[in-house]
Structure formats: structure tokens, C-alpha cells
Amino acid sequence: MKAIYLIGFMGTGKTTISHALGSRLNMPVTDCDEAIVQYAGKTIPRIFEEEGEQGFRDMEQQTLRQLHAENHVIATGGGVVLREENRAHMKKNGIIIWLEASTEEILKRLDSDKTRPLLAGGDMAERIQTLFDARKELYEGTSHMRVDTTGKTTDEIVHEIMLHLDEYDV
Ligand code: S3P
């Protein structure tokens, strides 16, 4: 089986869904952000602080390339689609599922979050909207399948993914 990559904006449930989908499909689960933290030996906010966003993106690209893809469910960070190399790597190695959620829902989920440097400071709703607008086409153009998670339970989302997964040669 190929890899199943979960992409999408921060707060759309990629990590939660990756675990539920992995259990359902009996596939091991890997979280790209967790692998970066392990590799770097420091938290994501600390990486951004010390090495800037570009430093983080370099680590992200390298980590994604090194992760064991075959037969794995892989949760990615929201900005993984920004680099063409990452998009090409995921397309080559698996099925890509885009998890979406409304700005209101993302805001609700990330309201008191302190772990996402790109949302820190200023008006969070505005930041979410600006970043999402800049990335929407990339999520759309990279993914094979799009699932709106707004107002849905984990079980409902996994069920929806399972229904569509049959259409792909995984
Ligand atoms: C980022 C999303 C984060 C993490 C980093 C950058 C982004 O992952 O990779 O803070 O650029 O959208 P999540 O999508 O899991 O929050």
C-alpha cells in the first residue's frame, strides 16, 4: 500500500484523524511535525525563533523525504504544501487527503494555542484567513480528496475517507 498523507491548514484535525485512520486501516502513523521536533531536539516555536521559518521549512522538507512512506499514514504540518519538492514527493508516494475546516472552527480549536508561531500575535482570525487564502490553491491542487471536517466527529470523518479511498489505487 502507498502512503496516505493528510494535508490541510493548522487545526483541521490532521493529527487526530491520522491516528483514527491508522487504527481503522491497521497502518502505522507518523507525524511529520513530531519527527522534526525529535530530529531538531527542540520545539517548533524554538525552531522558528532560532532558525526562522526558512530553517523550519528546510527541516520539514528533509524530514518528509526521509520518513518511511510506504504503508504509513502521515500527518503533515499545514505549510508542507508550500514547497514544490514536498508536493511532488507526496504525489509520487501516496494518496493525499486535504482536511478542511471553516475559519470559525479553526479559530475555536486554536484559540488558546501557543505552539503555532505563524498564528502568534495580532488578530488570529485575520492571520488564519490571510494564510489560508495564500495556500488554498496549493491544498486544492495537491490533494486527491477533500474532506470538510467542520462540525463532524472523528468517526464521521474517517468513515467519509474510507468511502472514497476505494476509488484510489492505494
Ligand atoms: C505550520 C503548521 C504547523 C507546524 C508549523 C507551521 C504551517 O503544523 O508545522 O507551526 O505553516 O501551517 P500543524 O498544521 O499540525 O499545526
Side-chain angles (χ1 to χ4, degrees):
M1 205 184 218
K2 287 180 173 180
I4 297 177
Y5 293 99
L6 297 180
I7 66 167
F9 203 78
M10 295 171 258
T12 51
K14 300 179 297 282
T15 300
T16 306
I17 300 302
S18 69
H19 289 288
L21 191 61
S23 304
R24 180 67 204 275
L25 290 165
N26 205 15
M27 284 167 75
V29 178
T30 307
D31 192 292
C32 193
D33 277 348
E34 264 174 34
I36 295 168
V37 168
Q38 258 181 21
Y39 161 80
K42 47 192 169 192
T43 63
I44 290 179
R46 179 57 71 85
I47 298 172
F48 270 76
E49 206 178 293
E50 293 179 359
E51 315 195 26
E53 181 173 354
Q54 288 320 305
F56 174 79
R57 297 293 170 214
D58 289 342
M59 286 183 203
E60 184 174 51
Q61 184 179 338
Q62 193 176 347
T63 305
L64 183 74
R65 205 183 323 133
Q66 286 172 354
L67 286 180
H68 192 86
E70 197 184 333
N71 202 35
H72 278 62
V73 176
I74 300 174
T76 61
V80 78
V81 292
L82 292 172
R83 290 202 174 170
E84 162 58 24
E85 294 85 347
N86 296 344
R87 301 196 297 270
H89 177 86
M90 293 190 290
K91 279 186 181 164
K92 182 170 155 238
N93 289 291
I95 296 297
I96 305 166
I97 302 172
W98 172 25
L99 299 185
E100 254 203 306
S102 68
T103 306
E104 294 72 32
E105 179 114 356
I106 292 172
L107 201 52
K108 224 184 322 168
R109 290 180 192 167
L110 300 183
D111 194 25
S112 52
D113 183 88
K114 297 269 177 289
T115 65
R116 280 138 168 128
L118 292 178
L119 298 181
D123 182 329
M124 201 192 257
E126 208 175 283
R127 274 172 182 270
I128 291 172
Q129 202 57 59
T130 308
L131 274 178
F132 180 72
D133 289 346
R135 293 175 179 181
K136 185 171 186 280
E137 271 179 32
L138 295 174
Y139 292 134
E140 205 153 31
T142 308
S143 55
H144 297 96
M145 186 195 304
R146 157 186 178 167
V147 178
D148 189 354
T149 67
T150 311
K152 292 180 190 156
T153 65
T154 300
D155 280 352
E156 285 167 342
I157 296 163
V158 169
H159 181 71
E160 201 170 320
I161 293 173
M162 293 299 293
L163 282 180
H164 294 297
L165 220 45
D166 278 350
E167 298 163 23
Y168 298 94
D169 179 28
V170 265

